[in-house]
Amino acid sequence: MDKQELGTFLRSRRERLRPQDVGLPSGPRRRTPGLRREEVAVLAHISTEYYIRLEQGRAASRPSGEVLAGIADALLLTDAESHHLHVLAGTAPNRTALHRRDVRPSILALLERLPQTAGFVMSAAFEVLAWNDLAAALMEDFAALDPKDRNLARRAFLVPQRDDAPLYGISDAAEFRHHVVRELRSALARYPADPAVTGLVDELRDASADFARLWERHDVQAATVLTKTFRHPAVGEITVDCDSLALTDRDQYLVLYSAPQGSPSAEALALLNVLGTSAAEYRH
C-alpha cells in the first residue's frame, strides 16, 4: 500500500466536491474547499478518525475492499478512479514489479499485415516498442532514434513545440499531454518500484512546469479518443480513426490509425505508404 499517494489522492478527490454534490446542505461559508473529512466518513460509513488516518498516510492496516467501496461511493469516484484507489491501497490484482517491454511475436506480425493502417505498440510508460512503416511515415522514423527518445511522454513535454507545428502535427496536442499525465499516474500506482516509471515521472516533473501542473490535479480518468487529425508536411491534413487496444497480458497498448476506405485521408495514408519512412524526414 502506498500510504502517502493514497492519502494525497483521497484529499484531492474530497476537495473537488461541494456539499450539494452529495446531497448535503452547503451551510455556512467554509474556510477550505470541498467536503469536510467527517462528512466523507459519514457518507462512507466509517469512523472519522480512521478516514483522517488514511488521508494523512498514517493508517496502520490496509483498508478492506468494503471500506474502499464506501469511500469511492462517498467521493463519487468514476470506475477508473475507483480502480486507481484499489491499486494505491494494494487490493487490486498484483502485477510484476517492472512493466514489460517485450512485444509478442504475433503482434509484431500483425503490424506488418496492416499496410493501410499506421500501427505501433506502446508500453505502460509511453515508450514506442514496435511500429510498422506507415506509423514511421506518419509520425517519425522511430528506428533512427535512441530508445530513450522513442518515449511519447518525453516527446510531448520535453521537446519544444511550436503553436503552428505541435507534436507530429496532431490537432489535440494539449489533450494528448493531459492524457499522458493521467496514464502515467495510473502506471506509477501499478509499478511504484519500477525505476523506468518513477524516473520518467521525476524527470518530467522537474523539467516541465506544464507536466508538474497537470500532475498536481491527480486525474486518472482517461478520455476516449475516437479520431485524430495529423497535419503532415508531405501530404497535408489526415484525419484518422484512433483505436487503442489493450494488450492486458503485458500491460501494453496496440494503437491503430486508419481512415475510411475511399476518403481523402485514406488516399493520403496510401501515399505515405508509398513514400515510406522517408516522409518522416519532412518534419526535420
Side-chain angles (χ1 to χ4, degrees):
M1 179 171 71
D2 189 337
K3 293 182 180 181
Q4 296 304 316
E5 187 63 25
L6 174 63
T8 301
F9 180 65
L10 289 174
R11 185 169 62 254
S12 73
R13 300 303 89 175
R14 174 176 60 82
E15 290 179 347
R16 72 177 180 175
L17 292 176
R18 300 169 300 172
Q20 53 267 40
D21 293 334
V22 294
L24 296 175
S26 56
R29 185 173 181 178
R30 298 178 177 227
R31 291 178 296 177
T32 57
L35 299 179
R36 297 187 176 99
R37 292 185 178 94
E38 56 267 28
E39 291 171 334
V40 176
V42 169
L43 292 168
H45 305 291
I46 60 177
S47 73
T48 299
E49 180 184 358
Y50 182 62
Y51 179 78
I52 290 175
R53 289 203 305 269
L54 281 175
E55 230 187 62
Q56 294 179 344
R58 297 188 295 108
S61 60
R62 177 184 297 171
S64 67
E66 183 179 2
V67 166
L68 292 173
I71 292 174
D73 287 342
L75 294 176
L76 304 183
L77 299 187
T78 64
D79 289 344
E81 290 170 334
S82 181
H83 176 72
H84 186 63
L85 179 67
H86 281 270
V87 171
L88 293 175
T91 59
N94 291 329
R95 289 189 179 274
T96 58
L98 305 179
H99 77 287
R100 296 187 65 166
R101 288 167 159 150
D102 56 317
V103 181
R104 287 206 314 266
S106 60
I107 297 298
L108 295 175
L110 176 62
L111 285 173
E112 296 307 315
R113 297 192 193 108
L114 300 171
Q116 298 179 338
T117 299
F120 60 94
V121 177
M122 187 174 64
S123 75
F126 280 89
E127 182 182 352
V128 176
L129 304 173
W131 58 90
N132 62 14
D133 289 343
L134 187 52
L138 179 63
M139 300 169 72
E140 64 181 319
D141 184 5
F142 296 109
L145 301 177
D146 183 272
K148 182 178 180 180
D149 294 327
R150 294 174 193 156
N151 189 286
L152 298 185
R154 287 194 180 94
R155 303 291 289 177
F157 285 99
L158 302 185
V159 176
Q161 308 290 324
R162 302 199 321 265
D163 291 340
D164 62 336
L167 179 69
Y168 304 132
I170 58 175
S171 57
D172 63 340
E175 175 54 33
F176 177 72
R177 286 191 287 271
H178 195 182
H179 170 77
V180 167
V181 176
R182 289 187 293 245
E183 291 297 316
L184 280 183
R185 180 168 288 285
S186 295
L188 183 62
R190 298 195 301 275
Y191 305 103
D194 187 336
V197 177
T198 59
L200 176 63
V201 171
D202 288 343
E203 177 187 2
L204 294 174
R205 292 182 72 181
D206 290 342
S208 171
D210 190 26
F211 182 91
R213 175 184 60 82
L214 292 171
W215 187 260
E216 291 307 311
R217 293 173 56 166
H218 290 267
D219 291 340
V220 293
Q221 180 70 50
T224 301
V225 178
L226 299 179
T227 62
K228 189 181 291 287
T229 297
F230 291 81
R231 294 182 179 88
H232 196 286
V235 298
E237 190 171 284
I238 307 174
T239 298
V240 296
D241 295 324
C242 180
D243 294 288
S244 182
L245 310 179
L247 307 177
T248 54
D249 64 317
R250 306 195 181 197
D251 201 9
Q252 297 168 356
Y253 289 91
L254 173 61
V255 181
L256 302 173
Y257 296 142
S258 60
Q261 188 172 3
S263 68
S265 290
E267 294 174 359
L269 284 177
L271 178 56
L272 274 180
N273 203 32
V274 172
L275 293 175
T277 56
S278 61
E281 297 177 1
Y282 281 85
R283 298 192 184 278
H284 305 290

